Amino acid sequence: MFLESGNADGGRIEVICGSMFSGKTEELIRRLRRAKFARQSVEIFKPTVDVRYSAVNVVSHDDNSISSTPVDSAQNILLLASGVQVVGIDEAQFFDDGLVDVCNQLANSGVRVIVAGLDMDYTGKPFGPIPKLMAIADDVTKVHAVCVRCGALAQFSHRLAKTDKLVLLGETDSYEPLCRSCFLKMKTEDKNGN
Ligand code: ZN
């Protein structure tokens, strides 16, 4: 475990990762709310590609939202985060690898950076800058969904929609969380055209 409010001057990088429906955004918002209660200045950023619900809010699936700023590139976070004590970044898998350097720069200058994102894409491969962020983070939290097929803990996001587009943002009609064994079964069935 880590000191959640910690040393106000101590920069750090925290990563919250997992599959779809694992509660990543909820956990991000929980930590940011606590930082706000501690009277720290908080800013949230997300990539402009994530326009599922709203252009100005980080919205989690349980409607527990905090306002945020959409940015086109990770570099813009550096420009917009000056003077901020706690920086939250949601849907971080959609940023490029430049986000790794941005998070390091922020943390090295004393900012607490909390990054949430998918650790794997729908094929089960590491997603965007998340694996590198996990490597350099002070703390990594992997949250789990529940497998809709068998009820075990799920870490895979199986895509139901038939498209090859990697950046497909979806809800229950597009993805389902699966455990390893159910994910492997579904992948085999998908390959066989069932
Ligand atoms: Zn399962």
Side-chain angles (χ1 to χ4, degrees):
M1 284 307 289
F2 54 92
L3 288 170
E4 210 170 316
S5 56
N7 173 1
D9 300 324
R12 54 185 278 117
I13 299 170
E14 298 162 30
V15 171
I16 304 162
C17 63
S19 67
M20 302 277 297
F21 313 109
S22 61
K24 297 180 299 296
T25 300
E26 288 83 350
E27 176 61 16
L28 173 67
I29 289 171
R30 189 187 72 83
R31 292 185 195 180
L32 293 170
R33 284 234 166 94
R34 289 172 69 89
K36 273 187 161 179
F37 289 144
R39 300 182 183 279
Q40 294 171 329
S41 57
V42 173
E43 283 282 344
I44 308 157
F45 302 96
K46 65 176 183 179
T48 47
V49 67
D50 181 26
V51 290
R52 267 179 298 184
Y53 302 106
S54 156
V56 292
N57 284 309
V58 167
V59 181
S60 66
H61 301 290
D62 66 358
D63 232 15
N64 198 359
S65 71
I66 289 186
S67 64
S68 76
T69 307
V71 288
D72 287 329
S73 80
Q75 288 299 321
N76 289 348
I77 297 173
L78 279 182
L79 301 172
L80 295 166
S82 74
V84 177
Q85 291 170 290
V86 184
V87 167
I89 302 169
D90 200 20
E91 301 290 354
Q93 73 276 1
F94 293 127
F95 285 107
D96 62 31
D97 277 359
L99 184 62
V100 179
D101 190 45
V102 166
C103 289
N104 254 333
Q105 283 190 54
L106 288 168
N108 291 347
S109 65
V111 177
R112 179 184 174 199
V113 185
I114 312 172
V115 183
L118 289 166
D119 48 7
M120 288 185 276
D121 66 21
Y122 73 96
T123 69
K125 292 202 182 78
F127 204 154
I130 301 294
K132 286 180 180 165
L133 287 164
M134 290 166 77
I136 64 160
D138 299 72
D139 183 87
V140 176
T141 303
K142 184 150 177 160
V143 286
H144 292 84
V146 173
C147 177
V148 296
R149 307 264 161 176
C150 76
L153 286 181
Q155 73 263 45
F156 295 96
S157 307
H158 176 244
R159 192 168 65 190
L160 300 163
K162 302 291 180 216
T163 164
D164 288 330
K165 205 171 162 217
L166 188 60
V167 180
L168 178 70
L169 292 157
E171 289 311 302
T172 44
D173 57 337
S174 307
Y175 294 91
E176 61 183 6
L178 295 178
C179 70
R180 182 179 297 277
S181 96
C182 293
F183 181 70
L184 289 173
K185 262 184 239 161
M186 290 309 297
K187 269 184 111 172
T188 310
E189 283 179 25
D190 286 349
K191 220 178 279 173
N192 296 336
N194 292 327

